[in-house]
Amino acid sequence: MGIVNEARAALRSGALSRRKGRAPIGLALAGGGPLGGIYEVGALAALEEAFDGLDFTEIDIFVGVSSGGFIAAALANGMSPAKLARMLVENDAEEVFDPDTLLRPAIGEYFRRALSVPPLLLDALRHYLGDPWHSGLLESFQRLSHAIPTGIFDNAGIDRLLRRMFSTRGRSNDFRELKRKLYLVATDLDTGEAIEFGAPGYDHVPISTAVQASAALPGLFPPVEIGGRFYVDGALIKTLHASVALRQGAELVLCINPLVPFDSDLAEHREHKRRHSVGHLVEGGLPVVLAQTFRAIIHSRMQVGMDRYRHLHPGVDVVLFEPTRDDADMFFANVFSYASRKRLCEHAYQRTRIDLYRRRHELAPLLARHGIRLDLAVLRDHQRSLLAHEGGIPLSTTQRALEVALDDLDHWLAERSLR
């Protein structure tokens, strides 16, 4: 499938270059850590197969936040979704990205903070002993909190890996040398402002470093210093930052958000959750509670943003793709398991295909306005699979075939009832 996908992408690229006068198209990718990045790759592979007339490496404006920044930067460098899928989950890829790279302890940060303990302790003692009647003990020693590391893991490996990846095969680590516009959004820690690396004044920063800064989630990774400023995850301000593409004149913006809050009641009703051991999410402990909380916050904020885009840009089409709220496979996936990564990428691919088919009556005319045809024959082919599988067609494609048939039946019955 990979070779076929590459050939199809090459043909579409030629067709795209012949379309004169097309309005700019943007792609906005949200964050979500390694889990979100893998989901976005699978979803993008499904979209590229189904969108006849659009090569996802030839999109005019790429906008990425956090893990979405890694995917956006790779696409802007000509790496197709099929190529990225092989990198993330296949053993035989020429280039491999292993999420374990993100789990290396931030030894340097630990050491720097440890060195600050003696002077902080001395300062605390001096403050307390200088006026013990008015200076509380806890108040005086609170300044020792300055010695707490700002991150658990070291994300410098992202910069090193991408610097190598974007320095070969005609790729570039320089925003100014790309054929397409690329914007990677991070947050200035000292001002709370969203910074668009790739925009004038910030396009001199290496792409690899900008990705590292955009993905520096506070608490997990230390802030990234660039030019004397410190930057953290761009999702602190907005989830998608699709407005960047809209300001650049995009008239169609395709958005992918991999993280949605999980509805355990809906999942239980649809019998998805029996594959997982958690009855109520609280039983999963702090990691599960935090995951649900984080998803709920960013998703509600994203919905507000989508409504604002429709209000401020009424003539522009902004299309969102994301998992369903009962998607237990997405919520409980173990991204650091090789088998889970492979299943998740295939799962995202299949679920996006189902979403496209269910929304075909809405999407087909919308996409046609931008010179893109929704290939229903591709979507009806339930034997398609993104990755190599042993033992025949995977269960997810069999399930998809049934869902497509039922959806066709529902649509036919609805048409009959109107006659």
Side-chain angles (χ1 to χ4, degrees):
M1 286 297 297
I3 296 176
V4 173
N5 289 340
E6 296 283 3
R8 185 183 293 110
L11 290 173
R12 289 179 180 173
S13 177
L16 181 64
S17 65
R18 292 192 293 271
R19 296 210 315 266
K20 303 293 185 180
R22 171 180 60 75
I25 294 176
L27 176 66
L29 301 177
L35 178 77
I38 293 172
Y39 186 92
E40 287 176 335
V41 168
L44 283 166
L47 295 178
E48 185 168 53
E49 279 189 356
F51 288 2
D52 188 11
L54 180 64
D55 182 340
F56 274 76
T57 64
E58 298 288 338
I59 283 177
D60 303 284
I61 306 160
F62 296 93
V63 182
V65 183
S66 193
S67 59
F70 167 81
I71 307 300
L75 292 170
N77 262 293
M79 302 172 71
S80 70
K83 166 71 173 176
L84 292 174
R86 293 197 301 273
M87 281 181 55
L88 285 167
V89 298
E90 291 285 12
N91 283 325
D92 58 350
E94 297 176 358
E95 297 173 293
V96 178
F97 175 75
D98 186 355
D100 290 344
T101 303
L102 303 176
L103 284 182
R104 294 173 182 169
I107 301 298
E109 173 70 3
Y110 299 164
F111 184 70
R112 284 191 296 272
R113 297 291 169 171
L115 290 178
S116 69
V117 170
L120 286 173
L121 181 60
L122 183 61
D123 187 42
L125 286 171
R126 185 183 301 114
H127 181 271
Y128 177 70
L129 295 176
D131 189 2
W133 302 110
H134 296 92
S135 300
L137 185 63
L138 291 179
E139 176 188 352
S140 298
F141 283 85
Q142 184 181 7
R143 61 196 64 204
L144 285 173
S145 63
H146 297 176
I148 299 175
T150 56
I152 301 173
F153 302 113
D154 183 4
N155 62 353
I158 296 177
D159 188 11
R160 292 191 296 268
L161 183 147
L162 295 183
R163 194 178 293 269
R164 292 194 304 269
M165 186 183 300
F166 295 156
S167 300
T168 60
R169 308 185 182 205
R171 304 167 191 158
S172 176
N173 200 33
D174 191 326
F175 286 99
R176 298 163 294 188
E177 295 179 358
L178 296 177
K179 297 178 181 178
R180 301 289 183 261
K181 294 180 180 179
L182 170 65
Y183 299 94
L184 303 173
V185 184
T187 304
D188 187 315
L189 183 62
D190 292 311
T191 65
E193 294 182 84
I195 302 299
E196 301 164 11
F197 291 106
Y202 295 96
D203 54 359
H204 64 285
V205 176
I207 294 172
S208 56
T209 307
V211 172
Q212 180 191 0
S214 180
L217 183 63
L220 285 183
F221 303 109
V224 177
E225 182 180 2
I226 302 175
R229 307 294 297 181
F230 291 88
Y231 299 93
V232 294
D233 198 312
L236 267 64
I237 305 299
K238 293 181 183 177
T239 302
L240 271 169
H241 290 277
S243 57
V244 176
L246 294 172
R247 288 200 305 271
Q248 293 297 319
E251 295 193 7
L252 169 65
V253 182
L254 304 172
C255 307
I256 301 181
N257 170 52
L259 299 185
V260 299
F262 180 61
D263 189 330
S264 59
D265 290 339
L266 181 61
E268 185 174 22
H269 177 70
R270 296 189 178 183
E271 298 184 344
H272 288 178
K273 204 171 59 170
R274 63 175 54 181
R275 288 170 287 180
H276 304 281
S277 59
V278 177
H280 295 284
L281 294 185
V282 70
E283 298 173 15
L286 181 61
V288 171
V289 172
L290 289 178
Q292 178 75 331
T293 302
F294 179 71
R295 288 165 181 255
I297 292 173
I298 66 171
H299 194 258
S300 63
R301 187 177 59 185
M302 186 203 65
Q303 289 178 316
V304 172
M306 294 295 290
D307 290 339
R308 185 181 298 115
Y309 300 149
R310 297 185 186 98
H311 176 71
L312 297 178
H313 305 274
V316 174
D317 294 312
V318 181
V319 185
L320 175 66
F321 299 94
E322 60 183 6
T324 57
R325 295 192 59 170
D326 65 327
D327 195 337
D329 291 315
M330 178 64 182
F331 187 80
F332 292 103
N334 177 7
V335 71
F336 296 105
S337 161
Y338 170 76
S340 293
R341 297 204 304 268
K342 189 169 185 176
R343 283 195 301 269
L344 177 59
C345 197
E346 177 71 28
H347 175 76
Y349 171 80
Q350 297 295 348
R351 298 307 300 183
T352 303
R353 284 165 53 80
I354 292 172
D355 185 33
L356 284 168
Y357 193 75
R358 286 176 173 167
R359 298 167 63 186
R360 64 193 182 279
H361 303 296
E362 163 205 347
L363 293 175
L366 183 153
L367 294 171
R369 293 199 293 268
H370 303 277
I372 303 169
R373 184 178 70 88
L374 188 62
D375 193 334
L376 296 181
V378 166
L379 295 177
R380 288 192 179 104
D381 182 4
H382 59 267
Q383 295 192 13
R384 280 181 176 262
S385 177
L386 176 61
L387 304 172
H389 289 270
E390 299 177 0
I393 301 172
L395 178 62
S396 57
T397 57
T398 305
Q399 177 188 357
R400 181 187 174 279
L402 177 60
E403 292 184 350
V404 166
L406 291 174
D407 190 73
D408 279 338
L409 178 60
D410 287 341
H411 183 63
W412 180 80
L413 290 174
E415 287 184 337
R416 294 281 295 181
S417 66
L418 293 174
R419 292 177 182 176

